[in-house]
Amino acid sequence: MTSLQQAYTAARAQWEKLQASEVPIFFVGAATCGRAAGATEVLQALRGRIEQDKLDVLVVEVGCLGPCSFEPLVIVHKSGSARICYGNVGPDEVIRILENHVLGDDPCAQWALGKMTVCPNERLTASLQTDGIEDLSAHPMMRPQVRNILRNCGLIDPENVHHYLARDGYQGFLKALELGPEKTLDQVKASGLRGRGGAGFPTWRKWQFCRTAPGPTKYLICNADEGDPGAFMNRSLIEGDPHAVLEGMLIAAFTLGASQGYIYCRAEYPLALQRLDVAIGQMRELGLLGDDIQGSGFSFDLSVKKGAGAFVCGEETALIASIEGRRGMPQPRPPFPAVSGLLGKPTVIQNVETLGNLPLILRNGAEWYTQYGSETSKGTKTFALAGKIERTGLVEVPLGIKLKDIIYEIGGGVLGGKALKAVQTGGPSGGCIPAEKMDLPVDYETLTQAGSIMGSGGMIVLDEDTCMVDVARYFLSFTQAESCGKCAPCRVGTRAMLSILERIAAGEGQMADLEKLESIARTVKDGSLCGLGQTAPNPVLTTLRYFRNEYEDHIQKGQCPAFVCSRMISLDIDPHRCSGCGACARVCPVVAISGEKKQPHVIDQGICIQCGMCLSACPPRYAAVYRRSGELTRYEQRKEIQRKSK
Amino acid sequence: MPIGKSKIENRKSKITDILARHPADRGSLIPVLQDIQKDFGYLSQDVIDELERRMGISANEIYGVATFYTQFRFSPPGEHTVVSCQGTACHVRGGLQLLKELEQRLGVTAGQTTADGKFDLERVACLGCCALAPVVAVDGKVHAQVTAKKIPSILSQYAGGRK
């Protein structure tokens, strides 16, 4: 028996023991997001109490289950009861759950999100019912989801390889070894898998190029340089289930004949880097890295390279330059990296999530995989749902799902019941899809036609309080700052577009600026060397296409309908409503507000910097501070109508 | 002076340790610089001169690479690093306002260190905690759903500490 087989036996026994444990277990979501939400304090309180009372209770730190807006999340296993997932658990709640549910009989239904077996997708058996608590899989946030890639996230201990093995870990790789490289490639081809980094290039074709490229030395790189602002899918997957990505790397490397692999991961993700280090060490112990892996004759080794903070390094050729220890600047293509990449050798670069798909495809077969997805876009895709939305989180859905299902069902609609304005996909390379297009299916082609891109999975919801000129300006200021400066269209073009947008946002725009913007945008799109420049104009082009009226309001009326562009808004105090409480004057950072006690206050417009602090400080019962922008804005008009109809 | 000398010796031995952890090739430059910054806090000219000798890469070249990446700094850091996230999700939930508030409270603009050397203020493109936006991180600890009102209490947690 090889050590891997022994490990499987041990892993299954360990896992079964965990599932049928007599000892109660707390699974605490402790990925970066969970910790930010307070999981560290929860763990402290819980462990402190267990220590103090010498309780026989286990605590396991797991990755992120996905519903981030309910963080910190705790799943409690108690013998004889269904597992219950609790949301928004603070240090006090966790102690109450310990006392009332684990040591008592009250399942604390008020904090429960739902009950579950092991996987949120698996329905509960009747014997495990717990009164008053629904299945977690029936929770509106979970119901439309298909958790394949994220199947282990939040359920297993990411630093315990036995958990991964017990959940059929590395079986996909063993299957690939059994099939051989050609048949593995056929499986990937039949699955229709496309690159999850954004562009959606068919994975098998990239592999084919690399396989047919001459020379014995080939490299595989995992791109974990998740630099898109608003995206955290890769971080969650690595933090929650690092071995899934590493198994994907083994499968890819075996098919390509690569002997050395690199993981290029952002330095901003310390926990992900730590998890990778631990997992790679475990692979070595199990004989899954090194020479002649599992007696197959296939040799492969892995090392982690930390990114040093440059967005452009998400671009394949720039990433390679960075690994080689140079400035991360892109190269003209062709030659493509699949033919001549790292150190001039054929190199395949895959996104974290693409790799995370491979074990599933190999283990379950291409046919199983293609049951999910649309005609041209197969499988599932993870999205980082954030912005002005009720339920933020990391979600996984079959491709082809309608945008509105993600926004309204999973996300629960716009935060605070406000009106949806647009959904931004693909980060700085993507665009804004307006509210009236929420019927669009999410697949590569449809999103491209709408002027956006699938991107790596960032999905930011924008509501009526978002100014689209400001959104375009925001993304341009990002790409302008991150442009490496190598080619002129991107270096000069992003700067030129940004200065026009800044002018418009400052109320100094002219109608001719809009045509100029469009023309520069097209030039940058066509003329830039790499993906950063080629896609940088997308936010400008889509906002011009769908929200031209907002640009026109800024230019012609000197008005920002969403009250965002501070140069165009002014703040005033309604003398009839002001009670003279002085709350506004106390917070004003520039002392622009004056007035006698219990007398209406006034804002000195010459001093005011439109920071809006007074607006949030004014007690709601007075609501005396108000904003205006130019003439009565549509927003104000709508408020007026709403007021009258009440 | 004996004290100065031991300092230099100490620095050299630290650099030796770091170089020993990485293969001696060009591809190690960035990891070496990262380790040096971790140990020394920043990349000083003395250290880069030393690296020029040890790695056989010109100081010009090293500066060329180091200045390309935002991670590297060339002046000593403050005691605590306050990072204001300017990612998309944070932006639409008021990230810029938080940055302004931080700038006001600390009396510096992003990228600077306070006069007492207590705080660095930095802006970052995204910390990847978008679901908890807007976030501010201090010394790597992420504070979720920060509002302008919470900032004084967050800063005061760090304002004491070692002198």
Side-chain angles (χ1 to χ4, degrees), chain A residues 294-521:
Chain A
Q294 302 299 314
S296 65
F298 163 61
S299 303
F300 182 65
D301 216 328
L302 256 180
S303 53
V304 177
K305 291 270 181 183
K306 263 197 296 182
F311 176 68
V312 68
C313 289
E315 168 73 21
E316 294 194 338
T317 53
L319 191 156
I320 288 171
S322 180
I323 291 183
E324 290 172 352
R326 295 184 284 119
R327 289 167 74 89
M329 286 172 148
Q331 296 288 321
R333 301 180 298 178
F336 286 92
V339 178
S340 170
L342 187 65
L343 306 169
K345 302 284 188 280
T347 304
V348 161
I349 300 169
Q350 301 281 198
N351 170 269
V352 168
E353 192 182 331
T354 318
L355 293 166
N357 271 291
L358 293 170
L360 297 168
I361 295 172
L362 267 291
R363 196 168 60 233
N364 302 318
E367 202 171 311
W368 170 85
Y369 189 79
T370 52
Q371 67 174 301
Y372 304 104
S374 69
E375 198 53 46
T376 56
S377 309
K378 296 293 181 201
T380 55
K381 171 87 195 75
T382 60
F383 288 97
L385 197 54
K388 303 281 188 72
I389 189 148
E390 280 290 340
R391 293 193 286 261
T392 54
L394 179 72
V395 305
E396 181 177 348
V397 288
L399 285 167
I401 189 174
K402 292 200 166 97
L403 265 172
K404 64 174 181 195
D405 292 340
I406 301 182
I407 306 299
Y408 291 103
E409 257 202 83
I410 299 178
V414 179
L415 195 64
K418 295 212 168 162
L420 177 71
K421 189 179 265 185
V423 175
Q424 209 281 341
T425 65
S429 310
C432 299
I433 299 167
E436 60 268 21
K437 288 195 178 282
M438 288 302 113
D439 271 330
L440 286 183
V442 177
D443 64 37
Y444 291 97
E445 279 71 23
T446 316
L447 292 185
T448 308
Q449 271 162 24
S452 187
I453 59 166
M454 171 87 75
S456 56
M459 194 173 270
I460 312 273
V461 177
L462 309 174
D463 70 356
E464 56 186 319
D465 290 340
T466 313
C467 167
M468 300 312 282
V469 177
D470 178 67
V471 167
R473 191 195 56 75
Y474 165 76
F475 281 116
L476 249 294
S477 71
F478 178 82
T479 36
Q480 189 274 325
E482 294 292 340
S483 169
C484 78
K486 183 166 179 167
C487 72
C490 177
R491 182 180 67 238
V492 183
T494 51
R495 162 80 62 186
M497 285 191 285
L498 179 60
S499 66
I500 293 177
L501 288 168
E502 278 172 347
R503 210 155 62 217
I504 295 175
E508 293 154 7
Q510 291 162 359
M511 286 307 284
D513 281 341
L514 297 187
E515 274 158 51
K516 216 183 284 172
L517 254 185
E518 271 175 332
S519 135
I520 300 172

Side-chain angles (χ1 to χ4, degrees), chain A residues 520-600:
Chain A
I520 300 172
R522 274 194 298 272
T523 311
V524 175
K525 208 174 165 92
D526 294 341
S528 294
L529 183 60
C530 81
L532 189 152
Q534 286 157 10
T535 57
N538 282 346
V540 177
L541 288 169
T542 50
T543 50
L544 273 172
R545 179 167 155 193
Y546 298 117
F547 300 96
R548 207 182 186 90
N549 57 343
E550 289 199 19
Y551 283 87
E552 289 166 359
D553 284 349
H554 280 73
I555 296 169
Q556 293 175 325
K557 298 186 193 157
Q559 185 180 80
C560 176
F563 296 109
V564 173
C565 300
S566 61
R567 295 278 298 275
M568 283 188 189
I569 61 172
S570 58
L571 289 143
D572 273 307
I573 297 173
D574 184 340
H576 302 295
R577 306 204 59 153
C578 179
S579 71
C581 72
C584 52
R586 279 194 292 277
V587 296
C588 179
V590 290
V591 205
I593 304 176
S594 56
E596 293 293 315
K597 220 175 188 177
K598 303 212 169 149
Q599 293 298 316

